[in-house]
Amino acid sequence: MSTAEKISHLKKGIDLPTSCQFLSGGGEMGKLIREKDWSKTPLGDPENWPQSLRTMVSVMLDNPFGMYIAWGKEYTQIYNDGYRPILGSTKHPQALGISTRETFAEIWHIIESMFDGVMNGVPVGFPDFMLPLDRNGFIENCYFDFAYSPIKNDDGEVGGVLVTVIETTDKKKALDDLKESEERLHKKKNELEDALAEIKLFKFMADNASDPFILMKENGSFAYLNNIAIKKWGYTREEIKDKKVADVDPVYNAEKFKELFYNSLKNTIPSFETFHKNKQGDIYPVEISLGSVKTEKEPLVFAIARDITARKKAEYDIINAARKIEESEKRFRNAVQQAPLGIAIFTGKEFIVTQANDAYLLIVDRTAEEFISHPIFEVLPEVKEIVEPIFTEVVRTGIPFYGNEFVIPLKRMEHLEQAYFNFVYHPLKDEEGNISGIMVVAMEVTATVLAKHLLEESEKHFRNMVMQSPIPMTTLRGKDYIIELANKVMIEKIWRKSEADVIDKPITEVFPELKEQKYPELLKKIFTSGKIHSEKESIVFIEGNDGMKNFCLDVDYTPLFKPDGKTSGIMITLNDVTAKVNARKKVEEDEERMRLATDGTGTATWDLDLLTGHIIYSPRLADIFGHPQFDLMTHQQMRAQIHPEDIHGIVEKAFDEAMINRMYKYEARVIRPDNTICWIRTQGKVFFDEDKTPVKIIGTLRDVTEERKYQQILQESESKFRLLADSLPQKIWTADTAGNIFYYNQNVYDYSGLTPEQLDNDGWIQMVHPDDREENIKRWMESVKSGKDFLLEHRFLRYDGEYRWQLSRAVPQKDASGNIQTWVGSSTDIQEIKEQEQQKDYFISMASHELKTPLTSIKGYVQMLQMMHEKSEDVFLHNALNIMDRQIKKLTKLITELLDISKIKSGGLNFNKEHFEITDLINEVVDEVKHINPDYQIPVNTEEKVMIYADRDRIGQVLTNFLTNAIKYSPDSTLVEIKCCVENNYIIVAVKDFGIGISKKDQEKVFEKFYRVEGTNEKTFPGFGIGLFIASEIIRRHDGFIRVESDFGKGSVFLFGIPIHS
Amino acid sequence: MAENCKMIMIIDDNEDIITMIKAMLEMKGYNVCIKTNAINLEESLEKVSPDLIIMGMLLSGADGREICKLLKNHGRFSIIPVLMISAHPNAKEECLNAGADSFLAKPFDMKDFFQSVEKSLALKNQ
């Protein structure tokens, strides 16, 4: 069509001649009809169209329902916008103005007879006829009720066929939705009630079947196909992956299949026939046998599809003729029963029914006689109240009235009921354009509306269930996952947000943190695949109003479907298992700790069933028995590995005892497969049932080989020690850290004549001389407390009643870190030594006495001579007497010291303490020393006069010793200083010389008995070396201290300090 | 020298010691009587009536400490001061315990001896 022609047609459309007013309106099709050059069609110019056609076209163009007119013998086609989609993209717009024969050539052989029938006044109809239509950018299955009715000419002859089509997809969808909703409810209920029910895994092997075997999923895809099925359809296995049932079966589209699928899950479906289409497009009849399979994941339905082409052909030939007649009758009946679109024409002020088709009569439940030619509101008084004002308004304004799900009360079957209609009240105009009446085209949608109401009810129920459920749930709508519904527990416990913040918002917008997790991808996958997805113990981070929180959730994602099988949304149900998982983790940790603990100690555990003899044990046990850790051993095998010497005497005996006292305990040897011996220690407890029958023993088992080895070594060492200790002439004993003696060697028993019991009961103290006990206990406890060596001489009672002196010594045995473990002590019999010493002391004592007596005479006579010759001029006599006097003094000192030593040794050094002035004593001693050593200067530095309580002679003796030593070891100096002071209630006396000094090494020893400092240049100093020993003994007995400070070569300071008021 | 007319009795078993002490005392003008044992001591004391007894601790056949105790428990003789002399260790304490008025350890300085004698003699006059 050229541009000029287009404009011409356009003009024509705008400026319609008066006779063509009936072509006004009608949307796209109206425009196309007006633009159509009808002169070239069998209908000729619209101006010349018969009145009945013109009226019908006018009605059609104003009608939202699909309408199609096939006029005249040629069945020239005119249709409206509502009908256009039914022709699809291949037939429209060519169909306008041409014959039905041409447009529907492929089915003409079927519909021809129907058209012919209509032309003879017999209407037909097809309810719920499915057509896949691409109306919204995708193919969807649509349902239509088709009705073929005759259009009568003005002369009463049938001029053409009116096809009305009403889409029933909504009704169908509503029913399907209801069904799905019920299923969902049912499913959810089942899930909730029986979440743990196991679905038995079904596996069907059909490769050896002779017919195609098809295992189908809910969505129509194939879970499994045997080779015959693949071959029959002509697809490769790869190609078939994307196919669904609808691709191979033109009858069972997604909806029908789904219906069949669910039906077959619930019921046993008898074999039925359908058609299959192979890859080449050949269609052939098949007989289907169905069965269902429930697997873990999803329900499956299998079909065996037998090709029945041959059978069908034979059957067809036989029944063909008869069927044609039958069909005609059947269609008639259907048309009456199910004609979907009621059409009626009302004229005049009273709205007299001039025409009403069967469908209309059916709707109003009146016969033609009751209805036609009567004013409508007389026949249907119940509708007057509602309908009359509308009729009047349509007539007044000339504007059609459209009703959608309009409620009209109707008395049908003697009952007044609410009926729902979608309808048009269309004004009818006469030649002059005056409104002469109303044409009503109505479709009853009561079932649809009721179904919708039911659906709403069901939805509400579902919603309530979701909302009331203690299980967190939400539904997400569309590809943006908009939160449509979320129950209280979901919002409050999991999301922790206000309802207003979440509802009707995309979930990823509400929870941006989910974006960073796997969720967008997961939701997309579910949405696209339409598959249920479950996750166990999934960790999810969700930011609520109280901050980020992580949950451990069991999550079920259930896709929600639209009736066409598309995913409409996702339902998410959660089970918060955080607490459960935490608890389980804790148990696991505890178990792990227990395992580590037992592993760490190398302890194996076991559990013996006494009734069956079955034993369960930890891997460590197998290890101990010398097997790989996960080897399985029976109790008999374990027993067989016990050392033959131990099996009866130890193990079986222990077992018998365990049956009585409940405790199972033994140590025995196990022979490992490599013939090594392993000592095991078993400890267990016997458990009894109500009848007091022992049923099981649970216990532990440990490898104690090393322990035994160590014990053996220890025992050997111990026995060696005892052998040695018993063979010693000394008394050997060991004590614990508290000082309790726990071991005595044989010698102790032999010496004391006491039995081990007597010693254990009454203690070792019974052996000690009563006079020594107090000191003994005091000294022993001091040692135990301080950890210092114990050393004491005391007397032990011998078996014959004789007390004999013992030298006892004990040293602590310390471990690596210096802690005392035990005390090892010995007591040596020193009675004889003691006696010898006493004899020696007696000898010294007597000797010194016997020496002193003659010395007394000599001294007396020398001093008498000195006195007598005091005034003599004889220098020699003076010198001789002085020397004699000095030497007598030295001799006296030596003898005194010898005597003191023996006194100290025998403990006989006695003190006569008195109060005296220390400075007086110092001056006396200094005078005396100066008298003998007149060359020396001995300045005394005292602060004040101090009274002390001490043995005056003995302290004098110490001072004399200090001073004589100072002089003796100061060969090159004549100065000795004495200083006396009080510090901390001690009187301290220091004697300083400027002599040879004492080396550090010697300083430590000067107070020892018989120690003499070696002089330099081989010069020796006379003396026994006992002076300082006696001095230190005297000071010690005064509870004081004595020490030396010295620079070798420069001189020394000797000092002592004693308490002023001791 | 009135005090030098004092009678001092020496009791000891060692003749050299007796001789020496006698010489010292006589140097100072004291009258001295000697007993080498304790036999008839009471009779001798009655007879001599000494102002001071100088006595050794260990005597042959007798113990100076015992004699000292006897004397100190004897009413009439208890007033006679006793100076005891010994070389024996611990003698001082024992002698003083036995009732001796003073003690002098052997060997002694003549100076100390005279001091002790004078001190002891002074006791009797109190």
Side-chain angles (χ1 to χ4, degrees), chain A residues 453-491:
Chain A
H453 288 175
L454 265 174
L455 176 64
E456 278 164 19
E457 238 352 76
S458 170
E459 278 289 342
K460 205 169 136 194
H461 191 177
F462 171 70
R463 211 182 163 88
N464 280 342
M465 191 201 76
V466 168
M467 295 309 282
Q468 299 306 316
S469 170
I471 294 169
M473 288 187 193
T474 182
T475 56
L476 307 180
R477 188 180 65 234
K479 283 187 173 172
D480 293 330
Y481 315 116
I482 289 160
I483 299 166
E484 188 175 40
L485 200 64
N487 63 1
K488 203 177 163 190
V489 59
M490 182 67 139
I491 291 170

Side-chain angles (χ1 to χ4, degrees), chain A residues 87-112:
Chain A
L87 293 169
S89 54
T90 53
K91 292 182 164 68
H92 168 82
Q94 302 90 314
L96 187 67
I98 65 166
S99 170
T100 309
R101 276 191 204 95
E102 207 177 320
T103 304
F104 292 98
E106 75 274 17
I107 52 166
W108 184 247
H109 65 282
I110 298 167
I111 63 175
E112 185 182 13

Side-chain angles (χ1 to χ4, degrees), chain A residues 507-572:
Chain A
I507 191 161
T508 47
E509 193 179 286
V510 177
F511 302 103
E513 65 274 15
L514 292 180
K515 279 189 206 163
E516 291 146 31
Q517 301 174 53
K518 63 188 173 180
Y519 297 96
E521 211 172 313
L522 180 68
L523 290 172
K524 195 180 166 191
K525 196 179 143 199
I526 293 157
F527 200 90
T528 333
S529 70
K531 282 181 186 159
I532 292 171
H533 181 84
S534 293
E535 282 183 1
K536 294 286 173 206
E537 290 169 20
S538 176
I539 303 292
V540 188
F541 293 86
I542 296 172
E543 178 141 25
N545 291 336
D546 56 352
M548 187 71 87
K549 204 170 163 186
N550 68 323
F551 291 92
C552 190
L553 305 168
D554 284 350
V555 190
D556 283 322
Y557 300 90
T558 313
L560 302 175
F561 299 105
K562 286 191 280 194
D564 58 11
K566 301 271 174 193
T567 313
S568 66
I570 298 170
M571 176 159 85
I572 303 174

Side-chain angles (χ1 to χ4, degrees), chain A residues 574-600:
Chain A
L574 307 177
N575 188 11
D576 186 354
V577 292
T578 312
K580 187 182 92 183
V581 169
N582 284 347
R584 197 191 60 217
K585 278 193 181 144
K586 197 176 174 300
V587 170
E588 280 169 5
E589 276 168 22
D590 286 351
E591 276 175 0
E592 179 67 9
R593 267 204 293 278
M594 177 66 194
R595 197 180 63 73
L596 284 176
T598 51
D599 280 5

Side-chain angles (χ1 to χ4, degrees), chain A residues 914-933:
Chain A
E914 56 185 313
H915 290 283
F916 65 92
E917 239 287 325
I918 183 79
T919 40
D920 286 354
L921 177 66
I922 292 168
N923 289 327
E924 269 175 40
V925 173
V926 168
D927 284 351
E928 201 174 313
V929 172
K930 270 172 134 178
H931 181 70
I932 300 166
N933 304 280

Side-chain angles (χ1 to χ4, degrees), chain A residues 243-434:
Chain A
K243 302 291 175 194
K244 291 195 173 176
V245 169
D247 295 307
V248 297
D249 190 331
V251 178
Y252 284 90
N253 59 44
E255 257 47 55
K256 278 187 95 170
F257 172 74
K258 205 165 165 187
E259 198 180 329
L260 179 68
F261 186 90
Y262 281 113
N263 196 9
S264 62
L265 287 178
K266 287 174 205 159
N267 310 311
T268 310
I269 309 282
S271 296
F272 62 93
E273 290 171 12
T274 182
F275 294 92
H276 275 182
K277 188 172 84 180
N278 66 15
K279 196 184 174 186
Q280 285 74 42
D282 300 326
I283 293 174
Y284 57 93
V286 287
E287 185 183 68
I288 303 286
S289 302
L290 280 186
S292 66
V293 184
K294 285 214 170 179
T295 68
E296 264 178 350
K297 290 176 185 166
E298 55 186 331
L300 296 173
V301 168
F302 67 87
I304 296 156
R306 177 165 293 170
D307 186 342
I308 52 167
T309 311
R311 195 175 84 193
K312 274 287 158 197
K313 203 162 183 282
E315 281 173 6
Y316 183 79
D317 292 340
I318 296 160
I319 63 167
N320 198 21
R323 202 191 60 184
K324 276 188 178 173
I325 304 155
E326 267 178 27
E327 261 178 9
S328 162
E329 279 173 12
K330 196 173 154 195
R331 278 177 195 143
F332 173 70
R333 208 164 51 242
N334 281 346
V336 175
Q337 286 168 356
Q338 298 177 27
L341 204 60
I343 302 170
I345 295 170
F346 307 94
T347 54
K349 283 188 178 168
E350 292 186 302
F351 300 109
I352 292 159
V353 182
T354 50
Q355 265 191 49
N357 71 350
D358 291 348
Y360 202 94
L361 295 173
L362 202 69
I363 286 168
V364 297
D365 193 29
R366 301 290 190 278
T367 62
E369 290 73 38
E370 284 169 348
F371 199 58
I372 295 176
S373 303
H374 295 283
I376 181 168
F377 300 121
E378 269 177 31
V379 193
L380 300 172
E382 67 267 28
V383 306
K384 186 178 177 180
E385 193 188 341
I386 292 168
V387 177
E388 194 177 21
I390 305 170
F391 270 23
T392 315
E393 190 66 11
V394 170
V395 170
R396 194 180 67 79
T397 60
I399 299 164
F401 181 87
Y402 298 88
N404 190 32
E405 289 181 10
F406 203 93
V407 183
I408 290 170
L410 270 178
K411 199 170 181 182
R412 290 190 290 204
M413 313 291 281
E414 307 297 320
H415 291 287
L416 189 66
E417 54 185 43
Q418 304 290 325
Y420 295 84
F421 294 93
N422 289 345
F423 59 81
V424 187
Y425 294 165
H426 188 84
L428 288 175
K429 291 169 187 173
D430 59 18
E431 300 279 306
E432 285 74 41
N434 297 320

Side-chain angles (χ1 to χ4, degrees), chain A residues 715-727:
Chain A
Q715 272 171 10
E716 278 169 16
S717 165
E718 178 88 13
S719 68
K720 264 186 213 162
F721 167 76
R722 280 173 197 247
L723 189 72
L724 182 71
D726 285 346
S727 63

